[in-house]
Amino acid sequence: MLFKYFNFLFLVFASVLAEEKDVVELTDETFSHELERLENTLVMFYAPWCGHCKRLKPEYAKAAEMLLDNDPSITLAKVDCTESGKDTCNKYSVSGYPTLKIFSKGDFVSDYNGPREAVGIAKYMKAQVGPASKELNEENCLKSFLDSDEVSVVGFFEKEDLSLATTFHAVSKKLKEKVRFAHTTAKSLMEKEGYKNTIVLYRPKILQNKFEANIVKYDETMGDIQEFINKNYFGIAGVRTRDNTAEFKNPLVVAYYAVDYIKNSKGTNYWRNRIIKVAKDFPNLNFAISSKDDFQHELNDFGIDFVKGDKPVILARNINNQKFVMKDEFSVSTFEAFLKDMEAGVLEPYLKSEPIPEDNSGNVKIAVARNFDELVTNNDKDTLIEFYAPWCGHCKKLAPVYDELGEKLANEDVEIIKFDATANDVPGPYEVRGFPTLYWAPKNSKNNPVKYEGGRELDDFIKYIAKHATNELKGFDRKGKSVKPKSDEL
């Protein structure tokens, strides 16, 4: 039994080594010498105990493998800041983990601010070290360039000084971290392809389908070049990842299932093609497919804890960011019916909300998504709202101060509210990116709440509210000093 255990540990250890075999391990002794001989290097400064580092490592290793044959060469390396690389990490002011930096021949170039998934890392690094647009001189060059799983954009120009060519190169420099660009002035290549003084977007073979064109030719009626690329890049239903989520805008319909173009491209396209078959008839909506595992947090936001079976789960947001869930099991017909109802505005939005409290008589009122308008938007009072998380240490520290504030202002024309932002949908126009987040909403300007950035002691809150209250408080002057109510004066 003990032998089996150690054998298992060996296999695990060996698999980890295998996964990272293409990542160069650097130390204080080897750092400078190794980087000087390497043309381009991305270095990850990490700590073995760091959770973010552990999550990044397999993606980092995959990216290193993808970049092995790149021209110019790109190497991915790592430095352990807790052991053999302490001095190097101090030299480059590494204060958090993981920190990534780009080097060229030993010289520091810039901090890495790109994606954290393998494909995104590889694409970002290629864009950093190579030309924005690759020059193609002959037919084989184009064939080789298009042999990719990514969308490619190619410019065909008689002369490099054409206005269209100049604009193309400007756009390629701007979008080089997102899009693969190439260009040619080779007459034979243009004659072979049948393109001259134009730009062509090629969809990779892995994403081609019978419902949309595999090749899209640019013309001036499509707007400027960047607009043309942005509009056509993802096709009817784009592959949405954690790195590109910001590029998909509402109104957005997303199909969540086992999206995996590495291990199961056939199965992935089976469902994507059915999504596209219906989506092509709804040009006013944006569509995407996403991995259900990578986006479990989004599924949770729609009240879905687990996706059973292989069929896609359909979730959507309209232009006002309201959420909608397709409750029926996916089929071409149920999907089409859902989209028609969504466009017609007859679907009931999904609202993530705790139950409305039965007793809400305390000095600090509890708001949930279902009663937010009643307690905040329509209460005809100045309102201070705390958006908190139950697990947040800073929120727990603030709780007794906040309760005392509620007591101090119990008889004022001010409402003190708290809202669990982990269990309820946060309504617009409020934005919560950390906890606790506080907003001041004047009674005559509820659509324009102001983020509270002041101190978090009792006196800080009272001074702020006394100064900004629509009407002067009864028990405090405008500077927050306690005063006797006028009814008590002789």
Side-chain angles (χ1 to χ4, degrees), residues 57 125 174 180 198 235 305 309 432:
K57 275 189 172 184
M125 287 305 298
K174 188 174 182 180
R180 300 176 75 245
T198 191
D305 296 325
V432 177

Side-chain angles (χ1 to χ4, degrees), residues 376 381-386 402 405 409 414-418 438-441 450 452 461 464-465:
V376 178
K381 289 185 177 182
D382 295 332
T383 307
L384 182 70
I385 314 112
E386 178 204 1
Y402 208 65
L405 176 65
L409 302 181
V414 175
E415 203 73 86
I416 307 299
I417 302 285
K418 63 180 181 180
L438 295 102
Y439 277 92
W440 173 252
V450 178
Y452 175 83
F461 285 117
Y464 180 92
I465 293 172

Side-chain angles (χ1 to χ4, degrees), residues 223-485:
D224 61 33
I225 297 171
Q226 185 171 339
E227 183 181 347
F228 158 73
I229 294 171
N230 289 339
K231 184 177 180 180
N232 293 283
Y233 186 82
F234 290 112
I236 294 174
V239 182
R240 182 169 166 269
T241 67
R242 286 176 293 186
D243 285 334
N244 68 16
T245 51
E247 296 176 45
F248 291 84
K249 307 298 182 185
N250 293 342
L252 178 63
V253 181
V254 182
Y256 299 84
Y257 61 100
V259 174
D260 191 335
Y261 275 103
I262 296 175
K263 296 180 180 177
N264 188 15
S265 61
K266 186 176 180 180
T268 299
N269 277 335
Y270 176 86
W271 292 115
R272 180 174 183 260
N273 289 342
R274 278 151 183 75
I275 298 294
I276 293 173
K277 182 179 181 180
V278 179
K280 65 180 174 55
D281 296 324
F282 293 85
N284 295 323
L285 300 175
N286 301 313
F287 294 87
I289 62 170
S290 286
S291 165
K292 62 182 181 180
D293 294 334
D294 289 346
F295 286 89
Q296 183 59 52
H297 61 288
E298 289 188 353
L299 293 164
N300 292 343
D301 282 342
F302 283 76
I304 299 172
D305 296 325
F306 178 72
V307 176
K308 298 178 182 178
D310 298 328
K311 292 186 176 182
V313 168
I314 305 297
L315 307 177
R317 291 179 185 266
N318 65 12
I319 195 68
N320 297 318
N321 206 38
Q322 290 177 302
K323 301 192 291 189
F324 301 92
V325 179
M326 192 178 95
K327 297 177 181 178
D328 296 322
E329 185 178 75
F330 179 86
S331 70
V332 169
S333 58
T334 58
F335 185 42
E336 183 178 23
F338 171 78
L339 297 178
K340 286 180 178 178
D341 287 344
M342 182 177 170
E343 284 202 323
V346 298
L347 293 177
E348 181 180 350
Y350 170 80
L351 190 65
K352 180 181 176 183
S353 178
E354 293 178 293
I356 296 175
E358 293 183 9
D359 180 11
N360 212 357
S361 58
N363 295 320
V364 176
K365 298 290 189 293
I366 300 171
V368 297
R370 288 198 183 100
N371 71 354
F372 191 88
D373 283 346
E374 176 188 347
L375 288 187
V376 178
T377 309
N378 304 320
N379 68 3
D380 198 32
K381 289 185 177 182
D382 295 332
T383 307
L384 182 70
I385 314 112
E386 178 204 1
F387 295 92
Y388 74 95
W391 45 259
C392 162
H394 294 295
C395 304
K396 292 176 182 177
K397 184 178 179 181
L398 177 61
V401 177
Y402 208 65
D403 288 339
E404 190 175 355
L405 176 65
E407 292 178 21
K408 290 284 186 182
L409 302 181
N411 297 318
E412 302 288 354
D413 190 28
V414 175
E415 203 73 86
I416 307 299
I417 302 285
K418 63 180 181 180
F419 182 97
D420 183 348
T422 66
N424 299 274
D425 280 337
V426 176
Y430 300 90
E431 289 188 3
V432 177
R433 301 184 184 278
F435 302 110
T437 294
L438 295 102
Y439 277 92
W440 173 252
K443 67 178 181 179
N444 297 324
S445 186
K446 289 295 174 72
N447 292 327
N448 295 292
V450 178
K451 194 171 182 181
Y452 175 83
E453 304 282 9
R456 293 180 182 175
E457 298 298 330
L458 180 63
D459 286 346
D460 297 321
F461 285 117
I462 289 177
K463 286 177 181 178
Y464 180 92
I465 293 172
K467 179 180 178 181
H468 293 92
T470 303
N471 301 315
E472 189 170 341
L473 301 180
K474 302 170 188 174
F476 300 89
D477 64 19
R478 283 295 185 183
K479 294 183 178 180
K481 292 183 179 180
S482 180
V483 296
K484 287 184 179 182

Side-chain angles (χ1 to χ4, degrees), residues 57-252:
K57 275 189 172 184
E59 296 296 324
Y60 199 69
K62 289 178 193 174
E65 184 179 4
M66 292 177 184
L67 293 168
L68 282 177
D69 298 322
N70 193 73
D71 183 20
S73 67
I74 301 172
T75 304
L76 266 58
K78 61 182 181 179
V79 175
D80 183 348
C81 292
T82 66
E83 293 292 341
S84 57
K86 286 183 179 179
D87 292 343
T88 301
C89 295
N90 289 333
K91 177 181 178 181
Y92 289 99
S93 303
V94 175
S95 58
Y97 309 114
T99 292
L100 292 92
K101 296 179 182 289
I102 301 171
F103 294 81
S104 178
K105 290 288 186 181
D107 294 326
F108 170 70
V109 176
S110 67
D111 290 324
Y112 174 90
N113 296 308
R116 297 295 173 105
E117 292 181 332
V119 173
I121 294 170
K123 182 187 288 188
Y124 184 95
M125 287 305 298
K126 287 179 182 179
Q128 300 305 307
V129 303
S133 178
K134 182 179 179 66
E135 185 173 7
L136 308 176
N137 297 316
E138 55 186 33
E139 184 182 341
N140 287 339
C141 292
L142 177 62
K143 185 177 180 181
S144 176
F145 182 74
L146 296 179
D147 185 18
S148 168
D149 290 341
E150 299 176 40
V151 171
S152 302
V153 178
V154 181
F156 296 86
F157 310 115
E158 284 184 296
K159 298 179 180 179
E160 280 285 8
D161 59 358
L162 286 174
S163 174
L164 184 64
T166 301
T167 305
F168 171 86
H169 287 297
V171 172
S172 70
K173 290 175 183 177
K174 188 174 182 180
L175 300 182
K176 67 178 183 177
E177 291 170 9
K178 168 188 171 183
V179 183
R180 300 176 75 245
F181 288 96
H183 65 279
T184 185
T185 56
K187 185 177 179 180
S188 60
L189 182 52
M190 285 190 283
E191 289 177 350
K192 174 69 172 57
E193 295 298 312
Y195 300 124
K196 184 171 69 173
N197 298 332
T198 191
I199 297 161
V200 182
L201 182 144
Y202 295 85
R203 301 197 194 286
K205 186 176 181 180
I206 199 170
L207 296 181
Q208 292 177 6
N209 58 82
K210 64 182 180 181
F211 302 107
E212 61 185 339
N214 299 328
I215 297 172
V216 187
K217 182 180 174 182
Y218 169 77
D219 67 60
E220 293 180 356
T221 64
M222 298 176 174
D224 61 33
I225 297 171
Q226 185 171 339
E227 183 181 347
F228 158 73
I229 294 171
N230 289 339
K231 184 177 180 180
N232 293 283
Y233 186 82
F234 290 112
I236 294 174
V239 182
R240 182 169 166 269
T241 67
R242 286 176 293 186
D243 285 334
N244 68 16
T245 51
E247 296 176 45
F248 291 84
K249 307 298 182 185
N250 293 342
L252 178 63

